[in-house]
Amino acid sequence: MRERLSLWAAFCLIVAFLPSQTGSVAVMSVDLGSEWIKIALVKPGVPMEIVLNKESRRKTPVAVCLKENERLFGDSALGVAVKNPKVVYRFLQSILGKTADNPQVAQYEKHFPEHQLQRDEKRGTVFFKSSEELQYTPEELLGMILNYSRGLAQDFAEQPVKDAVITVPVYFNQAERRAVLQAASIAGLKVLQLINDNTAVALNYGVFRRKDINSTAQNIMFYDMGSGSTTATIVMYQTVKTKESGTQPQLQIRGVGFDRTLGGFEMELRLRDHLAKLFNEQKKSKKDVRENLRAMAKLLKEAQRLKTVLSANAEHTAQIEGLMDDIDFKAKVTRSEFEALCEDLFDRVPGPVKEALAAAEMSMDEIEQVILVGGSTRVPKVQDVLLKAVGKEELSKNINADEAAAMGAVYQAAALSKAFKVKPFLVRDAALFPIQVEFSRETEEEDGMKTVKHNKRILFQRMAPYPQRKVITFNRYTDDFVFNINYGDLSFLSEQDLKVFGSQNLTTVKLSGVGSSFKKHSDAESKGIKAHFNMDESGVLNLDRVESVFETVVEEQEEESTLTKLGNTISSLFGGGSSEPNANVTEPVTDEEEVIPEAGKDQDQSEKQEESAPEKSEEGKEGEPQAEEQKDDKEDKAETQGETEAEKTEEKSDAEKAEETEAEKKSKIQKKSKISEDITVELEVNDVLDPSTEDMEVSKKKLQDLTDRDLEKQEREKTLNSLEAFIFETQDKMYQDEYLAVVTEEEKEQITGKLSEASSWMDEEGYTAGTKELKEKLSELKKLCKAMFFRVEERRKWPDRLAALDSMLNHSTIFLKSVRLIPEADQIFTDVELKTLERVINESMTWKNETVAEQEKLSPTEKPVLLSKDIEAKRSLLEREVNYLLNKAKFAKPKPKDKAKDKNTTSTENSKANNTTNSTEEAEKVIPPKSDYAEEVKPAEEPPTAEEKEETILELNPAENTDTESTESSKSEKHIADEL
């Protein structure tokens, strides 16, 4: 019975580790840059890998081309941009979540004058209008790019992919983050998390250097200059102890500095304008090249190439054929000229470093190394200025500057997914912008005058870790009221950054039902209106709920029963505390989220909790100062009273205990109870309005229609190519002897005629025909040639299939003869089994001889009677019968020997048994057996016992056995969760 239970338990464990066949387990990450997009994937068998696009490149341009009947992405879209820039949309990141009056919208129009940006009167944002029919918002265009990225990941993974982690710039505010989430929703992606790109880079760095991280804090600065912006981040690495997984490495974001517009794209624009100036100075054309949008697009493409070349060379020649009016352009540009053009940009390089140090309250002496990230850090002048600014001996380049963010994000995606098991790496990200709650209330002065007092409560400080939850309690409201959620002190931003930042007012919260809750619970004591906030893993702030909390005193008149008293006594003996009722500690009055740690000890403990479980929310409370003090005093008194009573209980004499027991029986027992009433919340967004549900559905349908159109187009092109290839290949085959041998003259003429007819139709109408017509034409031709292809295919398969059948017949016959030579006393096979094998051998032999003879009488142009599938079926039947006998021989029990045999007979039998054992071991390794196997076969090993069976099953469970190499291989094969 015990063995059965253990076997059943092992079986349940194995089933728990089996992969689910119903859904996809692959997850992806998207490093969403301003110019490039990088995609990484994790799936079973592929730990972490960059996804290649259709051009086999590891990064794809963030560009989408929208023609009237065509949609292109990536490099294909950039190819169109040179010819027709009006239909190609790029660098969308800078206008996400921006109102029409934002300076970055005006800057975008300056950089790309070919686009008409219109104001959305409903939301105050912008949209692209290329025609009356074609109008797209930046979120819709980004959704197309994300959907395209998903398609690339699915092609690479060969399975559906829906879950993703998307990187965003650390300086993205609430409106910009919501815009990315809306784009992902339109694309049909399930966003596991929006991770800051600097955090993703830091995670990638730490994951591959786990052994170098210890309890001593290491401060590292990551300097990331991409195409559109620059960020400097100070990260602290060290190991911390956690309750769940022991000591684990952790990264904490200590300081961040950024420049929204400092990047490689601005350098390319300067270089483009310089090339335009050189072309105008050559005076090869009377027109100004800057007024020609197509020519400026060509110059921008050449400027991008030129910037890359000048990073490694002192000078280079720019060349463009047919720049404008068929005029070629050629000019030499030196690195010194390029650096002079961007001199003011290079002066801004140290800015983010200083901001990051100020935010972290650190100096460069505390920074161990500065690591370069981003493609634009390859510009030599950037490195020279940065090296001088940080005062280090050298700048580190020990991570992949292009792919670090994508790889770090996909590691986080695997950690968040339930399908994978990864080594824990704790991440404490930081909210860059402070958020506060503002509210007003009337107060009455001593002279009786009423005044309105405006209050501010900090909800999240600058650089506060997240995800975390906060609770604010309003203690002095008894009726419906309004409060605002706004950004806090943003004085650390420059004047230009404040203009780009947009509205500093987030949301107006209108509460209704407060007054009615007070009327409903008029006999209870109010504990305030509690608003529960949550800043999730994506850095997006949410108001989860608002509740009105009351406390009542419940009187229990009944005395404790004998069983209750006995239970209380037993619990006190085992450390349950005093059995005497205590009105203050029966039920906690305050919510656990609102407990504020005491200064000193509790603060340290709070920090430890944050370190040990960063994924859990940090909880706290902000409210009225007076109410907090009163509440804390009550809690302190309650704790003190509870401790004092417990101490007195231990010191009381028996007489005092008896008196108190009598007094308690007379008095009534009081118990406090908490009542919570949900408050209706109405939110009014003040920064950038989110699209309505109807608008989101319209956007999804718009993108789905485009996707369906693309799929239909791809299907038509695929069918057209298949038809074209079938016609050319079949026409060629009609001249090959292999095909001519199996068709009659009549069939040949018919097939040739139909192919010629189809070829003419292709030239005249085929390239404009619809998908349905192309499929019908292809199906008609395949049906006509089906018999010819079948006869050729069968004749190709005959030699190998017949040879395999002959080999099986030969081995089976030898095996049967050998088995029949075994003495009757040692025979392990029954007569029925041997006769069955003999019958199958004879039937197969007869069928083969008769069918081959019949086939030889037929003409090659006739339908064959010897079919390859029938030959394979006969071989498989014969193989199954032989394997059955071999498996029986493996586990057959040896028959008892006759004791009356003499020593010579015994020794002879022993030597035979030894030979049999050796041959049996060989037979277990090789199936089908050698020809001499049957002569030496003997009853071999006994069937495995229950213990042996249990041992085998447990090898499949990765949590049980790790001793032998076979178990290790079993673990890696059966465990669906790839450990990264």
Side-chain angles (χ1 to χ4, degrees), residues 19 143 278 293 339 342 363 465 547 747 804 866:
L278 292 177
L293 298 178
E339 291 175 353
C342 305
S363 66
E547 58 182 358
E747 289 176 328
L866 180 63

Side-chain angles (χ1 to χ4, degrees), residues 418-480:
K418 297 179 180 179
F420 300 94
K421 178 183 176 184
V422 302
K423 294 180 180 179
F425 201 106
L426 311 182
V427 178
R428 293 187 67 190
D429 213 331
L432 198 56
F433 307 113
I435 295 177
Q436 63 187 15
V437 171
E438 300 181 21
F439 55 94
S440 302
R441 69 164 186 274
E442 287 188 353
T443 58
E444 188 172 345
E445 303 295 337
E446 294 178 359
D447 56 359
M449 292 290 292
K450 289 186 177 180
T451 59
V452 177
K453 184 180 179 181
H454 189 68
N455 299 277
K456 294 181 181 180
R457 297 290 178 266
I458 300 297
L459 191 60
F460 295 99
Q461 297 279 1
R462 185 189 176 196
M463 302 307 296
Y466 72 87
Q468 63 172 320
R469 297 178 186 272
K470 287 289 184 69
V471 178
I472 286 189
T473 303
F474 302 93
N475 289 301
R476 299 190 179 184
Y477 287 97
T478 58
D479 206 347
D480 299 351

Side-chain angles (χ1 to χ4, degrees), residues 701-754:
K701 185 178 185 305
K702 189 188 298 184
L703 264 67
Q704 187 60 49
D705 292 343
L706 288 173
T707 303
D708 293 341
R709 189 189 71 181
D710 292 345
L711 292 174
E712 184 179 349
K713 182 184 176 183
Q714 291 173 9
E715 182 68 19
R716 183 191 175 281
E717 291 176 350
K718 183 179 178 182
T719 306
L720 180 64
N721 292 336
S722 298
L723 176 58
E724 199 172 25
F726 185 85
I727 293 173
F728 292 150
E729 289 176 2
T730 309
Q731 283 178 332
D732 181 65
K733 288 174 182 177
M734 297 308 297
Y735 293 96
Q736 299 176 13
D737 295 339
E738 187 180 24
Y739 289 87
L740 292 175
V742 297
V743 292
T744 61
E745 282 296 326
E746 183 181 351
E747 289 176 328
K748 178 184 175 183
E749 290 178 4
Q750 185 181 8
I751 293 174
T752 305
K754 284 289 183 181

